[in-house]
């Protein structure tokens, strides 16, 4: 298998592995916690290394996972005091623990391969050089098997505890009533996030881990409201971003991790703008349509109410309408033209008059006005 294929396989596996727990971070509004954990687990790795003096020891993963949980606990303890908001607590804990790790590396582990640049940026191009040898046979890049194991753990955990994750994410009070501990599930999820982060650490670095953990889930969130579909879409989007990012990096001769992160950002921007139901263009169109519909109804109700006044029937000057509603001349003209085409009003010598062309019998607003009129008469 060529190194290029192996790099793309690793990217796809990491993207899916990160996207799955990332869905629940996004839904729990804890996206920045992933950034914090991806940096502070370095302290857990450093401390575990000082204990074992072995970079290949599994205790490094355990130390990183434990430090991820400690990060969450310290952050939530600070925010529960109500003296700091959660984002402020993250802003304090994240640089503190990460800086301690950097100081320990530079002071006591300068000769050890714990390069802070590779930790932050990662380098997928080097992943195929670290081979998995079994009985003297090269069976592929080691990262494929480590990240593949990580993916299986995430899939199994989310499948088995899907109900608990779902109910504690959307309604923690209901979960407590049903006998499900929100705190236990929460820290279990944070453990999964920590293990995922440290598992992808060496291959891609923390920047790309954050991009894959948050980018695909928020993109999927714009496309669907169903949790299962969101999980599936997140994995698919992450995989596509990984492959597309590698192809872009190869074509432009730039950083692979950086290119994948950029493609992840571009895919989110595209969904943010063009998504049919939640996209920016769709929202702008809906708001514009609602604005016009409300303005049309407001003018019709204004004319309808004038028929009981001392003014002449149910007419009103165009200038009076403009001044009364604080509308611009162009906007007033557009509303009048819309209603004229619908046969609801007629414009004659500068006066707007209500016609019988509109059927108000099924209108919620008209019913409200009618009810209010009857109430006033009583």
């Amino acid at each position: 298998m060529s190194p290029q294929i192996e790099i793309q396989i690793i990217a796809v596996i990491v993207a899916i592995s990160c996207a799955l727990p990332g869905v629940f971070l996004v839904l729990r509004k804890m996206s920045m916690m992933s950034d914090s954990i991806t940096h502070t687990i370095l302290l857990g790795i450093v401390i575990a290394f000082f204990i074992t003096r072995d970079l290949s020891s599994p205790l490094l993963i355990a130390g990183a996972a434990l430090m991820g949980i400690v990060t969450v606990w310290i952050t939530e303890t600070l925010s529960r005091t109500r003296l700091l908001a959660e984002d402020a607590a993250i802003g304090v804990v994240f640089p503190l623990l990460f800086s301690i790790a950097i100081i320990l590396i530079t002071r006591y582990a300068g000769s050890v391969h714990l390069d802070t640049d590779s930790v932050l940026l990662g380098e997928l191009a080097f992943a195929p050089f670290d081979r998995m040898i079994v009985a003297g046979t090269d069976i592929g890049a080691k990262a494929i098997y480590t990240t593949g194991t990580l993916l299986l753990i995430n899939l199994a955990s989310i499948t088995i505890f899907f109900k608990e994750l779902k109910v504690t994410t959307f309604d923690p009070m209901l979960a407590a009533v049903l006998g499900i501990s929100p705190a236990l599930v929460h820290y279990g999820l944070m453990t999964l996030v920590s293990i995922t982060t440290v598992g992808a650490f060496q291959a891609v670095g923390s920047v790309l881990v954050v991009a894959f953990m948050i980018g695909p889930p928020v993109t999927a969130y714009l496309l669907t409201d169903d949790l299962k579909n969101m999980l599936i879409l997140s994995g698919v989007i992450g995989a596509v971003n990984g492959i597309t990012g590698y192809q872009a990096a190869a074509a432009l001769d730039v950083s692979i991790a950086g290119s994948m992160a950029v493609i992840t950002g571009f895919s989110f921007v595209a969904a943010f703008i063009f998504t049919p139901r939640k996209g920016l263009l769709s929202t702008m169109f809906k708001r514009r349509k609602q604005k016009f519909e409300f303005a049309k109804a407001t003018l019709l109700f204004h004319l309808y109410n004038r028929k009981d006044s001392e003014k002449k029937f149910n007419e009103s000057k165009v200038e009076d309408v403009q001044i009364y509603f604080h509308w611009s001349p162009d906007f007033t003209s557009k509303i009048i033209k819309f209603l004229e085409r619908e046969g609801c009003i007629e414009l004659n010598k500068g006066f707007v008059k209500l016609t019988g062309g509109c059927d108000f019998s099924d209108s919620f607003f008209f019913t409200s006005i009618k009810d209010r009129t009857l109430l006033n008469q009583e």
Side-chain angles (χ1 to χ4, degrees):
M1 188 182 298
S2 67
Q4 293 81 4
I5 298 298
E6 288 184 334
I7 290 172
Q8 293 179 74
I9 291 175
I10 294 169
V12 168
I13 294 174
V14 170
I16 298 174
S17 300
C18 293
L20 293 177
V23 167
F24 295 98
L25 290 180
V26 169
L27 293 175
R28 290 166 179 251
K29 300 180 180 179
M30 297 179 66
S31 299
M32 286 306 299
M33 187 64 74
S34 65
D35 190 24
S36 178
I37 291 175
T38 52
H39 287 76
T40 58
I41 62 172
L42 180 60
L43 180 57
I45 293 175
V46 172
I47 294 174
F49 170 75
F50 287 156
I51 295 173
T52 63
R53 292 293 173 178
D54 182 7
L55 283 174
S56 61
S57 172
L59 288 180
L60 269 64
I61 296 178
L66 182 60
M67 187 53 62
I69 297 173
V70 170
T71 300
V72 175
W73 179 78
I74 295 175
T75 302
E76 293 185 347
T77 301
L78 289 175
S79 62
R80 276 198 298 267
T81 64
R82 301 190 181 276
L83 297 176
L84 289 175
E86 184 174 4
D87 57 345
I90 291 174
V92 171
V93 175
F94 155 34
L96 173 63
L97 299 182
F98 184 62
S99 299
I100 293 173
I102 298 299
I103 292 172
L104 290 175
I105 290 175
T106 54
R107 182 67 179 85
Y108 300 107
S111 60
V112 181
H113 183 59
L114 277 174
D115 183 11
T116 54
D117 290 334
S118 65
V119 164
L120 288 175
L121 299 177
E123 188 47 74
L124 271 169
F126 296 152
F129 294 111
D130 188 10
R131 312 302 294 178
M132 175 71 78
I133 307 297
V134 177
T137 304
D138 184 350
I139 60 173
K142 185 182 293 185
I144 294 178
Y145 297 95
T146 56
T147 56
T149 302
L150 185 67
L151 175 59
L152 293 176
I153 292 173
N154 286 353
L155 281 172
S157 300
I158 291 175
T159 302
I160 295 171
F161 299 104
F162 179 78
K163 180 184 69 175
E164 289 79 5
L165 286 166
K166 182 177 181 179
V167 70
T168 55
T169 296
F170 294 107
D171 196 339
M173 295 296 292
L174 176 61
V177 171
L178 294 175
I180 300 172
S181 172
L184 183 61
V185 175
H186 173 70
Y187 283 103
L189 176 63
M190 292 302 105
T191 303
L192 200 64
V193 170
S194 299
I195 294 174
T196 301
T197 301
V198 72
F201 214 63
Q202 188 175 6
V204 301
S206 66
V207 171
L208 194 53
V209 169
V210 174
F212 280 150
M213 195 167 286
I214 304 302
V218 295
T219 305
Y221 181 72
L222 294 172
L223 299 174
T224 182
D225 292 326
D226 184 86
L227 180 56
K228 290 182 180 179
N229 290 339
M230 186 175 173
L231 287 165
I232 295 171
L233 275 175
S234 296
V236 172
I237 293 170
V240 172
N241 289 343
I243 295 173
T244 307
Y246 175 80
Q247 298 298 331
L252 300 174
D253 192 21
V254 295
S255 166
I256 297 175
S259 180
M260 290 180 180
V262 168
I263 293 298
T264 300
F266 283 166
S267 66
F268 166 74
V269 171
F272 179 76
I273 295 175
F274 300 110
T275 299
R277 292 191 300 116
K278 298 180 182 179
L280 181 62
L281 293 179
S282 175
T283 302
M284 291 174 61
F285 175 76
K286 288 177 183 178
R287 287 178 178 175
R288 184 175 180 273
K289 183 178 179 181
Q290 290 172 351
K291 179 181 178 182
F292 269 82
E293 291 297 325
F294 182 77
K296 286 160 56 179
T298 302
L299 178 55
L300 291 176
F301 301 149
H302 172 73
L303 295 174
Y304 176 81
N305 284 332
R306 288 180 66 84
K307 72 178 186 179
D308 295 326
S309 67
E310 296 179 357
K311 303 288 183 181
K312 182 181 178 181
F313 301 109
N314 51 353
E315 294 181 345
S316 186
K317 285 185 178 181
V318 175
E319 294 81 0
D320 293 341
V321 171
Q322 180 181 322
I323 295 172
Y324 185 79
F325 293 114
H326 302 286
W327 290 345
S328 66
D330 290 341
F331 186 75
T332 306
S333 176
K334 287 180 181 179
I335 296 301
I336 291 174
K337 287 179 181 179
F338 267 105
L339 290 173
E340 274 189 299
R341 285 200 294 266
E342 293 176 359
C344 296
I345 64 172
E346 61 182 18
L347 182 62
N348 186 19
K349 296 180 181 181
F351 282 86
V352 183
K353 183 177 181 180
L354 192 66
T355 67
C358 283
D359 182 14
F360 295 98
S361 58
D362 295 328
S363 170
F364 169 77
F365 295 104
F366 179 78
T367 303
S368 300
I369 291 175
K370 184 168 63 176
D371 293 341
R372 185 184 63 190
T373 303
L374 294 173
L375 183 61
N376 292 336
Q377 290 176 355
E378 293 176 359

